[in-house]
Amino acid sequence: MKHHKVECNFNVFESIEDLPKQIQKLMKFAQEARLKAYAPYSNFLVGAALELENGEFISGNNQENAAYPSGLCAERTAIFYAKSKWPNQAILRMAITAGSKLKTTNTPVPPCGSCRQVLVEYELQQELPIELYFMGSDGTIVHSNSVENILPWVFDKNML
Ligand code: THU
């Protein structure tokens, strides 16, 4: 038997003010989107904003449904819109903010597994890492240099 280890590296920023100016702008865009989320069932509001290489900022939020599985996460709402409108523009980075409508969420909220899988598809396709910045509704912000960093041992097209 041989033991293997996979590492995950990330940076933590204490507050939005500590982020580089351009990232602050992106996170504020995600915060605006979060407040427009349609989440009457979970009361958990999520906003995502991404920056494309042509300088466009795209945002999205979670859209829930009475038939629960028919809803969609904020990250995928934003990314599918961006890639349907600008299929050839690489995604440089994504900012995510999430938390309950009923209380302050200070814990950074990472994208769910399905959203990581969708993000990594485009990261591999564009051969350029997508930076991630994610936070709760308040508090610290986690920065990952790529999606693969938080989705090690990825399932990709080479396995088909
Ligand atoms: N949600 C997101 O929008 N993104 C994630 O990465 C995790 C979960 C949404 C889905 C649902 O509307 C609510 O948060 C509670 O799971």
Side-chain angles (χ1 to χ4, degrees):
M1 189 195 81
K2 203 169 163 212
H3 180 71
H4 296 262
K5 191 171 158 188
V6 181
E7 279 189 358
C8 169
N9 300 284
F10 57 90
N11 305 307
V12 178
F13 291 84
E14 283 308 310
S15 73
I16 293 199
E17 286 67 44
D18 292 342
L19 293 169
K21 280 278 171 295
Q22 182 77 347
I23 313 297
Q24 281 189 34
K25 217 174 115 187
L26 194 65
M27 187 56 89
K28 284 178 182 162
F29 200 45
Q31 287 176 326
E32 277 174 36
R34 177 176 172 267
L35 299 178
K36 296 181 204 150
Y38 178 64
Y41 305 105
S42 72
N43 280 316
F44 193 76
L45 310 180
V46 188
L50 53 87
E51 183 181 343
L52 300 177
E53 63 179 337
N54 64 0
E56 286 286 340
F57 277 27
I58 309 293
S59 68
N61 46 36
N62 50 330
Q63 296 294 319
E64 297 188 348
N65 194 281
Y68 289 6
S70 302
L72 194 64
C73 290
E75 295 89 330
R76 277 176 287 162
T77 302
I79 203 167
F80 288 149
Y81 175 69
K83 294 309 285 187
S84 58
K85 190 153 189 198
W86 287 282
N88 301 318
Q89 293 296 320
I91 299 163
L92 302 183
R93 54 190 66 90
M94 179 177 252
I96 303 157
T97 170
S100 170
K101 198 176 176 177
L102 313 171
K103 61 177 171 72
T104 304
T105 303
N106 286 305
T107 316
V109 180
C112 76
S114 299
C115 289
R116 291 182 207 193
Q117 183 67 32
V118 166
L119 280 159
V120 89
E121 173 81 18
Y122 297 111
E123 181 169 276
L124 295 171
Q125 185 217 14
Q126 68 188 28
E127 296 178 352
L128 187 72
I130 300 173
E131 273 189 288
L132 297 176
Y133 291 85
F134 54 87
M135 64 182 292
S137 55
D138 202 357
T140 57
I141 300 109
V142 171
H143 168 228
S144 170
N145 277 323
S146 71
V147 181
E148 216 173 350
N149 176 50
I150 60 160
L151 188 63
W153 208 356
V154 67
F155 177 83
D156 66 21
K157 64 178 184 183
N158 299 317
M159 289 163 186
L160 295 175

